[in-house]
Amino acid sequence: MALLDIKKYPARVLKQKAVPVEKIDDELQQLIDDMIETMYAAPGVGLAAPQVGISKRLAVIDISMREETVPLLVLINPVILSQEGEIEFEEGCLSVPDYTAKVKRAESLVISALDRSGQQVEIETGGLLSIAVQHELDHLDGILFIDRLSPIRREFFKKKYKKKQKTED
Ligand code: NI
């Protein structure tokens, strides 16, 4: 296994719509293992393939550090079947370091995806897992949580972020 390099905003790959995974082969299994290791090392509760520079519809999620009973999820070509309610939560992202903001999302979801063995699964999620799933699915469509902020707050973020990058240079 290997740690992968996490792409940071404003990397272009983060803005691209990812393409469906077509083959679940050894290469993909390797990528999944590397993504899981990279997520744990960061540490983070989720990681989507575009965040490691691979524009494919694949994400790994593990919120067990917050909610112990929820297992590690590997989602290949995930689709939202239905969603309900509204929840607001302070989100962060490994690709947008040192910044968090409140984002509104659906409170509960039903999704369909392939697991890493290629089996079609349907998953019902609520609360934190539902937020994590929506955040990662957004990555597959080239959307970051900062894109979900109001225009004013997004401008504020951009200014703050640019300033921070300048001080680091
Ligand atoms: Ni993220």
Side-chain angles (χ1 to χ4, degrees), residues 103-163:
V103 182
K104 275 187 193 147
R105 305 229 182 233
E107 204 282 323
S108 62
L109 295 178
V110 181
I111 61 163
S112 151
L114 299 178
D115 66 16
R116 66 182 300 172
S117 66
Q119 201 97 30
Q120 186 95 35
V121 289
E122 237 177 65
I123 304 164
E124 279 187 55
T125 72
L128 189 57
L129 183 60
S130 149
I131 292 163
V133 166
Q134 289 169 84
H135 179 112
E136 297 314 323
L137 262 65
D138 265 359
H139 275 301
L140 307 183
D141 290 324
I143 299 167
L144 296 174
F145 79 99
I146 47 172
D147 296 318
R148 298 227 174 252
L149 304 178
S150 68
I152 291 170
R153 288 171 72 207
R154 198 162 49 238
E155 277 315 303
F156 178 73
F157 158 77
K158 281 183 184 163
K159 274 188 196 142
K160 203 173 148 184
Y161 204 81
K162 262 191 201 138
K163 216 176 183 179

Side-chain angles (χ1 to χ4, degrees), residues 32-102:
I32 292 169
D33 285 337
D34 290 346
M35 282 174 58
I36 292 168
E37 198 189 357
T38 304
M39 168 178 72
Y40 288 147
V45 296
L47 190 67
Q51 290 183 276
V52 293
I54 294 166
S55 200
K56 285 189 181 169
R57 305 191 78 78
L58 162 68
V60 297
I61 297 171
D62 188 338
I63 63 158
S64 60
M65 65 162 94
R66 304 276 190 93
E67 284 177 28
E68 274 173 29
T69 53
V70 182
L72 166 72
L73 281 181
V74 176
L75 303 175
I76 300 170
N77 301 340
V79 188
I80 294 176
L81 299 177
S82 66
Q83 56 185 66
E84 239 175 69
E86 194 178 83
I87 188 170
E88 199 178 39
F89 189 78
E90 186 89 20
E91 292 188 24
C93 179
L94 295 174
S95 294
V96 189
D98 306 320
Y99 187 77
T100 61
K102 279 192 177 153

